[in-house]
Every structure is written in structure tokens, then in C-alpha cells.
Amino acid sequence: MRDYTKDSSKEHSGKREGMRHMRPQRPHWRFEDLEIWNKAADLAVKFHRIAERLDRRRLYRYAEQLRAAGLSLSNNIAEGSGSTHKQEFIHFLNITRRSLFEDASMLLIFERLDLIESAEVDELLWDCDEASRKITNFSRAL
């Protein structure tokens, strides 16, 4: 895994000079390699798409809440992965798990309000459950 704590700006500045007309390759972040981050990012996209449908129905507050809770999943994993302390990373993983429970609660309420079809809620709840279990196992393995 690459160490992002080093200042590599001098190392890459020479490469950038010779590539003025080419776009340099973007940096790779350690969280991108985590299965749990990728699952969380996939969930965030699904929640965002539901939020777009809620926006069209002028349910802006519901849409914003779902969007924010969905994004917090991948963001907390990313933020925790940047820590140099294992316990701090575990803390962020715990926050992520709790956000999954928040997402699940919203899905169940939106289903009761007939805003989301039961079949879609079922699929998303299974996704949330799987992500929660993987986060728990990952944090135990750290």
C-alpha cells in the first residue's frame, strides 16, 4: 500500500512539466482498494438515484436526507482509512455501520409512505445488511 503521508510533490513535479498537454494519471487512494468502500459507493449511487425520484415528487427534505446518509457511508470509510491509528479507523467504520442503520430506517419509512416499492426496498435492505456485516468483519480483522 502506498504511503500518502510523504510529500511527493517534488517527485512528481518533473513528470508534470513534461506532460503539459497530457492529463497526468490521478493519484490512487488506499480506500479505493477496499471492498467495503466500493460496496458503500455503490449504495450511495443507488440512494442518490432514489433521491432524484423523490426530488421529482418535490420531497426535497427526504431526498436530501437519503442522499446525505448514503454519501456518509463511503465518506466515513475513506476518512477512517486516512488515519494512522487503527482504533480511529475502527471508530469511523462504526459510524459507517450506524449510517447503514439510518439508511435502512429511511427505506422502511419511505416504503410505508408508498414512496418506494417493496421489491426495491427488499433489495436495498439486503445490500445494507451485507455491507454492515462486511464492515463488522473488516473492523474485527484490523
Side-chain angles (χ1 to χ4, degrees), residues 72-73 75-77 79-81 83 85-99 135 138-140 142:
S72 73
L73 303 173
N75 286 346
N76 277 306
I77 294 169
E79 187 173 354
S81 75
S83 176
H85 303 285
K86 179 176 81 167
Q87 283 307 115
E88 192 171 81
F89 192 7
I90 290 171
H91 172 72
F92 279 97
L93 292 172
N94 187 39
I95 293 169
T96 305
R97 266 190 84 250
R98 293 184 343 224
S99 291
I135 289 166
F138 182 79
S139 64
R140 287 180 180 159
L142 283 177

Side-chain angles (χ1 to χ4, degrees), residues 8 10-11 15 18 20 27 32 34 38 45 48 51 58 70 79 96 98-100 104 108 110 114 117 140 142:
S8 61
K10 292 176 188 165
E11 175 185 323
K15 291 179 185 174
R20 288 190 190 273
E32 291 178 278
L34 298 175
N38 282 291
V45 169
H48 187 85
R58 296 184 181 185
E79 187 173 354
T96 305
R98 293 184 343 224
S99 291
L100 280 164
L108 291 167
F110 294 168
D114 293 321
E117 294 292 323
R140 287 180 180 159
L142 283 177

Side-chain angles (χ1 to χ4, degrees), residues 53-71:
R53 293 192 330 243
L54 294 171
D55 279 338
R56 286 193 292 274
R57 294 178 72 174
R58 296 184 181 185
L59 298 167
Y60 304 118
R61 179 69 180 118
Y62 291 168
E64 183 54 35
Q65 185 69 27
L66 187 61
R67 218 178 258 118
L71 277 174

